[in-house]
Amino acid sequence: MANADERRFEVLRAIVADYVANQEPVGSKAIVDRHNLGVSSATVRNDMAALEEEGYITQPHTSAGRIPTDKGYRVFVDRLSEIKPLSAAERRAITSFLDGAVDMEDVLRRSVRLLAQLTRQVAVIQYPMMTNSTVRHLEVVPLTAARLMLVLITDTGRVDQRTVDIGDVITEEAVSRLRTSLNSALAGRRLTEAAARVAELPEQAPSDLRDATTRVCTVLVESLVEHPEERLVLGGTANLTRNVADFPGSLRQVLEALEEQVVVLKLLAAARNPGAVTVRIGEENEDEQMRSTSVVSVGYGMDTLLGGMGIVGPTRMDYPTTIAAVRAVANYVGQMLSGK
């Protein structure tokens, strides 16, 4: 080995790998037997003592074995030189599973199920943020002679339906003119900009359409302005119960925290850039209920960030495989919802 620091990192990496795989404290003899480090058991014991003194590993009880601390996992994750790529079969499975989706809601539900299966953790995905969406089309459908349905479709595939009582009979020709007027103002614009344009439309409308335009625009503004509540899709919660020992005395707290959308949204808040994976380990999580977990999150979208997605699991997790799965699924979801 080049130097003592590098050798100690290899010892730490071996402890992480064995503990993640076996959930048993790792001793020096096991490291020498299973990992080709080219040094004696005595040297490994000295390195383990140094790692323990620096807070990277700890001794859970009086056995000779050690387990990684949050600090140890952090160094391991920060020094991942390469992320294990998904196999060709795994990539094909992602593609075929997501390609079968019929709409945006289906894409999100499938993504969560797939990510939970690939990582065997809890998966979560945020609905596309409306502020980053643009209007693709507004359909105006007569329901009765005096009632219309508005169907707002964004570039991410989000569909928002509202009904409007016009208060008077409206002809098909008037509906057509109204539809043309609204789409010329809305199509291709960001939602915040579209809301401003909609607010101006009643003043510009011809007199025979002014009342109808005013009523429609009043309802439309509600659809265009960012909804205060963010919506999430969660899946695989039962995966946390596979190894209760990973959450000593805190599994119930974790499950309760996952039910609170605001907590989960905070976990995804770090995912600001599409494709950039963020890993928060144990004590790095702000919410006290989540400090026995690690959160691997990423932003999804192509040119524009649409939302965040990721997994929640114990600190004892297969980080390279999990990071690869989160990144790959986010990439596919970003492509599908961006229409690329």
Side-chain angles (χ1 to χ4, degrees), residues 161-180:
Q161 295 184 354
R162 302 290 175 102
T163 57
V164 188
D165 287 314
I166 299 301
D168 200 355
V169 172
I170 185 168
T171 66
E172 286 191 18
E173 185 268 340
V175 170
S176 177
R177 287 163 56 209
L178 183 60
R179 182 187 299 117
T180 300

Side-chain angles (χ1 to χ4, degrees), residues 9 13 17 25 34 44 61 73 92 126 136 139-140 177 186 208 226-227 238 245 260 264 275 277 282:
F9 176 70
R13 181 150 60 183
R34 293 176 193 155
V44 172
H61 41 74
Y73 283 125
R92 282 197 301 273
Q126 184 181 19
R136 181 178 290 167
E139 189 52 64
V140 182
R177 287 163 56 209
L186 297 177
D208 64 320
E226 178 75 57
H227 297 293
E260 298 179 40
V264 183
V277 176

